[in-house]
Amino acid sequence: MESIVNIGITLAMIMVGLAIVLAVVLPLIKSLGEPKVLIKSGIGVAVLLVIFLIGWALSGNEVTPTYASFGIGETGSKMVGGMLTTMYILFIASVIGIVYSEFNKALK
């Protein structure tokens, strides 16, 4: 029974890896024919990188005993804090965008 579960887990991991590769590679192949799309995608990635760098700069590098038990040091703590801050920034931006969009539709 364990061997069937192990095969299933391995197969699932291979399928997820393949999906990730295809999700990245196929749009890149399609966008090579249209450079304007590639530039817009690059701008979007650059904006996300800037938001992450802001979140990373705002985060602290404290190492709690819980972090230390998982082997996370100061660099890992700062990276996790940066990712969490980035998520908070993007969440707030999305809520503001949704509220703005709804008010804009209601006023039209």
Side-chain angles (χ1 to χ4, degrees):
M1 184 68 180
E2 276 187 40
S3 64
I4 293 173
V5 172
N6 289 338
I7 291 171
I9 290 173
T10 304
L11 185 62
M13 289 177 13
I14 290 170
M15 289 170 56
V16 167
L18 182 65
I20 290 170
V21 168
L22 291 176
V24 171
V25 171
L26 289 178
L28 282 176
I29 291 172
K30 181 165 174 44
S31 66
L32 289 176
E34 302 173 24
K36 289 182 181 181
V37 173
L38 192 58
I39 290 172
K40 288 180 182 179
S41 298
I43 291 170
V45 170
V47 168
L48 286 176
L49 181 64
V50 167
I51 292 172
F52 171 74
L53 289 175
I54 291 170
W56 182 78
L58 292 174
S59 67
N61 61 353
E62 300 84 18
V63 179
T64 63
T66 306
Y67 282 4
S69 68
F70 287 107
I72 297 176
E74 291 180 1
T75 306
S77 175
K78 189 153 181 86
M79 187 68 71
V80 168
M83 289 181 201
L84 286 171
T85 306
T86 301
M87 183 196 66
Y88 299 147
I89 291 170
L90 292 174
F91 176 74
I92 290 169
S94 67
V95 168
I96 290 171
I98 290 168
V99 169
Y100 172 77
S101 148
E102 290 300 319
F103 275 123
N104 196 16
K105 280 196 295 186
L107 294 176
K108 285 187 177 182

